[in-house]
Amino acid sequence: MKFSIQKDRFAQSVQDVLKAISSRTTIPILTGIKIDVTEEGIKLTGSDSDISIESFIPQEEEGKILAEIEQPGSIVLNARFFNEIVKKLPLDRIEIEVMNSFQTVIRSGQSEFNLNGLDPEEYPHLPQIEEREVFKMPTDLLKTIIRQTVFAVSASETRPILTGVNWRMEDGRLVCIATDSHRLAMRKAAVETDSDAEYNVVIPGKSLNELSKILDDTKEPVEIVITDSQVLFRAKHLLFYSRLLEGNYPDTSRLIPTESKTKLELNTKEFLQAIDRASLLAREERNNVVKLSVIDQDTIEISSNSPEIGKVTEQVKSRSVEGDELRISFSAKYMMDALKALDGTEINVQFTGAMKPFIIRPEQDDSTLQLILPVRTY
Amino acid sequence: MKFSIQKDRFAQSVQDVLKAISSRTTIPILTGIKIDVTEEGIKLTGSDSDISIESFIPQEEEGKILAEIEQPGSIVLNARFFNEIVKKLPLDRIEIEVMNSFQTVIRSGQSEFNLNGLDPEEYPHLPQIEEREVFKMPTDLLKTIIRQTVFAVSASETRPILTGVNWRMEDGRLVCIATDSHRLAMRKAAVETDSDAEYNVVIPGKSLNELSKILDDTKEPVEIVITDSQVLFRAKHLLFYSRLLEGNYPDTSRLIPTESKTKLELNTKEFLQAIDRASLLAREERNNVVKLSVIDQDTIEISSNSPEIGKVTEQVKSRSVEGDELRISFSAKYMMDALKALDGTEINVQFTGAMKPFIIRPEQDDSTLQLILPVRTY
C-alpha cells in the first residue's frame, strides 16, 4: 500500500471516523483506523462495534487530484496517534507507505514517522445492509430533529430502551420521541420516500449525537436505510452505521394531555432568561426546582427559594393567560432544555393541573412538542 | 447600604476579585465578596488569605456617573452565587440594598434577588503595607516577565520554596528566576525606581498566575511594593496582595554554564514544531523524552522511539553548528515550554556535554535565559 494525499482533507476524514472509536475498547484492533486504498480512492473506517463510520476520499474530485495511488492495499493504524500525527505534519502533502510486517511509514517534508500497524484482515466486517427501502431528508433537517429530541433521552441504564430515540415512520411521516420518564420531546417531519414501509425502531442517543457532530449544516440529502438491527445514514462520501436498541419502546401517546385548563402565551427568550435566573439559587439544595404562579390576566411569576442562600422572584409578561389560576413547580433544567430545543420566538404552555404533565409548543407549529412532569413540592 | 451601578463594569470587578476566592476554603466568611460603599465609590474585596484582591469603582469617572450612592455601608455576599446573579441580571442598571440582619436585595428590571449576607465586621483585615519604596514597570512588561518564568516553578510541595518565583532587585535591575530543579527560567528587566533598596523575595507561582489573568495588556504602569512578608501590585483601581514564601531561595548561579562546547543557531518555530512532532510518540512510555543529534555543519536530527508504537525522525536545518558532535536526550515538554516562553524568531542553544545542563537564549538578547537538564537514556 502506498499513496500520497492532501493533508487537510485527509485529516478531516481521520477526525470524522475517530468519532466512532472508543479509547476504552477491550478489542485491540478497534483502537485502530482501517485504511483501504484502491484505484478509486482512500476509505477510512472507525468502529466501536455499536457505531461504525466510513469516510471516503476519491482519487479525484471535480477535476482536482486529491490523492495519488501508487499501490492499493490496507492497514490498521492506532487511531489516536495517527490522528495527532496527521494534524501536526509540516507540509500540505503527506505520503503513506506500508512496508514489511505492517510497518507503516508516514512522510511529510523532513518528518518521517514509522508506526507499528495491525493486520487489516483482523478488522471486523461492517454490518451488511441490504439495499431495501431508503428514505431521505436534508442534512440540516436531520440535525434539527436530533437536536430537538436527543437531549431528553435517559442517562441511566435502568431502562436501556429509554437511552435511545424512538423513530416511527407512518404514512410517509417520521415521528421521533425521546423520554427519560420525567420529560418527553417529540418531533414530526415529512420525509422523501418511494415506499410505504413502516418502521418502529430505537436509535441510541449516543449514536445520534455523534452523527450530528459529523454532519455539516447543508441542504444536501442524507439517505437513511433501516433494517432489523441497524440503521445506516449515507451522506456524501460518508457512511454512518449504528446498531438499534432491542426491545419495545413504551407507548407514550396516553401521556400527552389532549385538553388544557390553563394556557399561557410567552416570549421564549424572556421566559427562558427568567427561568435561568430563578434556577441560580435552586441548583444545590432543591434539585433545581422553580415555581410558576399565575398572577393576573397578563402576568406570571417565576420564583425559587433556598433557605440557606436566599430567594428570587421575577414577574414575566404573558401575551395571554387563559383558564384557571395555577401554581406549579418543575425542574428549571428540563424547562430550559425544552425551550432551547424549540424554534420560534413565541410559545404556548398548556397545563391541566399542578400535578399533571404539561406541554410546550411553538405558536402555530404542531411539528414539535415538549412535555414536562411537574415536581411535588409539599 | 444602598446603591445602583452600571452592570458590566460591576460584573467585571466581581469577576476580578473572584480570582482570589477559593471554593475550598474552610473559613466561611472567605467564601464571600466584601462590598464597601462610600461616597467615593464601591470597593470589592476577595481573599483566600494568601492572595487578596481589591477592585474599586469610582462613583464618577471621566465625567460619567458609574454609580449612584444612596447610603454608604458594607456587606459580605456569597461570591459564587453573587457572581452568577450579577452576570445574568436582565438590565444594564442594577440596584443593591442591605435590609435587616444582612438580608440583601438585588434588583434589575422585574428581577429581584434576596441573598442572605454575612456580617462585614467578621471579614479579615487586609495586610497593612507601609508605604515604603515603590518601583514601577509597564503592565505588559510585568505580564511578559511572569509568562517567561512562572511555568518553570515546581508543581510539587516537596520543596515549597521552589513553587515560587525568586525576585531579586539589584542596582535598579530586577532578576526573576524559577526552577523545579529539572529546568530553570530566568528573566532580567530594568525597572523604574527612586530608591536603591535591594530585595530578595519569593512570590508564589499561583499568585503571579492569577495576577497575570487580571491585568490588561497595557503600557500603564503597575506599582510594586515589597515588604518582609507581602508584595502589593497596584494598578488603576486594582490592588493585588500576595503573601511571600518563607525561606531562602537556592543559589542557582553555579548551575548556569558559562562556556559552551557545541552551539546551534535555530529557527524557533521550526525547532518547536519538530520537537512537538517527535514528542507525539514519546508521551506515554518514555516520559516524553526526545533525542537531538548533530548530523553535520548545518543539520541536526530530532528523534524519538517507542518500541510499542513506532519511531519518528526529522532533520532540522541549523543556521550554524559550532563545536563538538553531540547526542543528547531531554524532555520534549520542558523544551517546548522554554521555546514558547522565548520571544524572538532565532535562538541559540549552547551545550557543554550530553550530561550537562544546556541553555537556550534568543539571538542578541541576554535578558532571557532558559536552562534544561538532559535525561540519561542509557
Side-chain angles (χ1 to χ4, degrees), chain A residues 245-257:
Chain A
L245 292 177
E246 281 174 41
N248 291 317
Y249 201 78
D251 178 14
T252 54
S253 58
R254 279 167 312 165
L255 206 63
I256 299 168

Side-chain angles (χ1 to χ4, degrees), chain A residues 78 80-81 84-85 88-90 110-116 273 276-278 280-281 283-284 306-316, chain B residues 78 80-81 84-85 88-90 110-116 273 276-278 280-281 283-284 306-316:
Chain A
N78 180 296
R80 197 159 52 88
F81 288 109
E84 292 282 328
I85 291 167
K88 293 198 168 166
L89 288 171
Q110 291 297 311
S111 183
E112 179 170 314
F113 283 83
N114 230 292
L115 279 189
N116 305 335
Q273 290 180 343
D276 192 10
R277 280 188 284 272
L280 284 177
L281 301 190
R283 256 169 223 169
E284 322 248 298
S306 292
E308 297 224 339
I309 306 159
K311 62 183 180 185
V312 48
T313 59
E314 178 161 351
Q315 297 200 344
V316 179
Chain B
N78 180 295
R80 197 159 53 86
F81 287 109
E84 292 280 328
I85 290 167
K88 291 198 169 166
L89 288 171
Q110 291 297 309
S111 184
E112 180 171 312
F113 283 81
N114 230 294
L115 279 190
N116 304 334
Q273 290 179 343
D276 191 11
R277 280 189 284 271
L280 284 176
L281 300 190
R283 256 169 223 171
E284 324 246 297
S306 292
E308 297 225 338
I309 306 158
K311 62 183 180 184
V312 48
T313 60
E314 178 161 352
Q315 297 201 342
V316 179

Side-chain angles (χ1 to χ4, degrees), chain A residues 48-80:
Chain A
D48 69 356
S49 72
D50 284 346
I51 300 174
S52 302
I53 302 175
E54 262 185 35
S55 177
F56 183 72
I57 302 171
Q59 185 265 328
E60 188 211 304
E61 190 176 58
E62 293 167 5
K64 201 176 142 197
I65 303 291
L66 297 176
E68 281 172 46
I69 316 293
E70 287 195 42
Q71 194 178 352
S74 298
I75 191 71
V76 175
L77 297 175
N78 180 296
R80 197 159 52 88

Side-chain angles (χ1 to χ4, degrees), chain B residues 23 79 167 180 271 312 357:
Chain B
S23 55
W167 280 35
D180 61 4
F271 187 47
V312 48

